[in-house]
Amino acid sequence: DQQVKQNSPSLSVQEGRISILNCDYTNSMFDYFLWYKKYPAEGPTFLISISSIKDKNEDGRFTVFLNKSAKHLSLHIVPSQPGDSAVYFCAASDGLQGAQKLVFGQGTRLTINP
Amino acid sequence: NAGVTQTPKFQVLKTGQSMTLQCAQDMNHNSMYWYRQDPGMGLRLIYYSASEGTTDKGEVPNGYNVSRLNKREFSLRLESAAPSQTSVYFCASRSYTGYEQYFGPGTRLTVT
């Protein structure tokens, strides 16, 4: 039972345009969501997050939108740059209690074309 | 600060061999985690340790054991390696005050 799904395995975008990566979840108890970026042969690095009490969080070129009723979040990158080419994972958490496990999606490989 | 370190970076094992993957963090984090990453599967949690002295199973614990040696170190052991354990293994840590987990560079393990 995949609780967090990224239905697009790959996405190709032209440099300078907007990249939109999508993520869906099924567990209504999730209350915090994160995006990680992963380059080949490196560990994932934290990119941006959003609490379920918000519907938008912005950090420079990166914006995450949360639609709780649709159980959907998206990451917007504007403008896209060649260094953004990486695999992006969304992750969800059901609270800060205990170990606070994260559930990850399958990842989307983003390629920015010059 | 080195953050989260993992050793070794690469390992090739024969079926039935055993090995221990080492992980250490220098951020004074309380919680530590072991994940495996397989193509099309994302990151799946193997074991975790909410705090020093405690360990619990994650989503895919079969074939693995862990030890939380102290607050800094969390090791993952494969007692009898199988080809299905060929994967990239990541260790991560987290403080009590934040949701973000910080990952090590990974260990690429091949079992033949």
Side-chain angles (χ1 to χ4, degrees):
Chain A
D1 176 27
Q2 191 86 28
Q3 296 188 72
V4 178
K5 292 184 182 179
Q6 294 175 256
N7 291 316
S8 298
S10 63
L11 176 67
S12 186
V13 174
Q14 195 166 1
E15 182 179 358
R17 306 294 288 267
I18 183 170
S19 295
I20 301 175
L21 294 91
N22 294 304
C23 180
D24 297 297
Y25 63 96
T26 58
N27 188 342
S28 57
M29 297 302 293
F30 288 145
D31 67 351
Y32 202 86
F33 303 88
L34 305 90
W35 284 93
Y36 280 81
K37 178 178 181 179
K38 185 184 179 306
Y39 292 120
E42 295 184 10
T45 55
F46 169 71
L47 189 58
I48 191 170
S49 61
I50 188 167
S51 165
S52 61
I53 62 173
K54 296 185 176 181
D55 55 17
K56 177 182 174 181
N57 188 29
E58 204 168 344
D59 183 1
R61 296 186 298 114
F62 302 92
T63 303
V64 57
F65 295 92
L66 176 62
N67 183 333
K68 284 184 66 178
S69 61
K71 293 191 177 67
H72 177 83
L73 64 154
S74 61
L75 174 68
H76 293 210
I77 306 173
V78 182
S80 300
Q81 300 175 353
D84 297 329
S85 294
V87 177
Y88 290 79
F89 293 99
C90 68
S93 169
D94 62 0
L96 272 176
Q97 301 301 319
Q100 191 265 317
K101 295 178 286 184
L102 293 179
V103 180
F104 285 84
Q106 307 97 309
T108 297
R109 181 178 302 279
L110 175 65
T111 302
I112 306 301
N113 302 305
Chain B
N1 282 355
V4 179
T5 57
Q6 293 183 235
T7 55
K9 284 188 171 21
F10 301 95
Q11 184 71 48
V12 179
L13 292 178
K14 294 188 188 307
T15 297
Q17 287 185 319
S18 62
M19 79 161 295
T20 300
L21 282 66
Q22 306 286 354
C23 173
Q25 52 90 12
D26 62 2
M27 297 175 282
N28 200 34
H29 286 172
N30 294 295
S31 300
M32 298 185 74
Y33 310 81
W34 276 105
Y35 293 89
R36 59 178 289 173
Q37 185 198 1
D38 302 292
M41 303 290 287
L43 290 152
R44 293 184 293 168
L45 183 64
I46 305 171
Y47 269 93
Y48 62 97
S49 171
S51 60
E52 186 178 355
T54 69
T55 61
D56 283 289
K57 295 179 180 179
E59 182 186 355
V60 288
N62 291 346
Y64 305 95
N65 284 301
V66 289
S67 294
R68 183 73 183 267
L69 304 170
N70 47 56
K71 191 172 185 180
R72 290 186 63 248
E73 299 172 289
F74 189 37
S75 62
L76 179 72
R77 183 161 178 84
L78 288 71
E79 290 291 351
S80 179
S84 60
Q85 294 177 304
T86 293
S87 188
V88 182
Y89 291 85
F90 291 102
C91 177
S93 69
R94 180 189 72 89
S95 73
Y96 272 150
T97 58
Y99 285 90
E100 301 84 15
Q101 293 182 14
Y102 295 85
F103 285 81
T107 295
R108 184 173 294 275
L109 175 67
T110 301
V111 183
T112 61

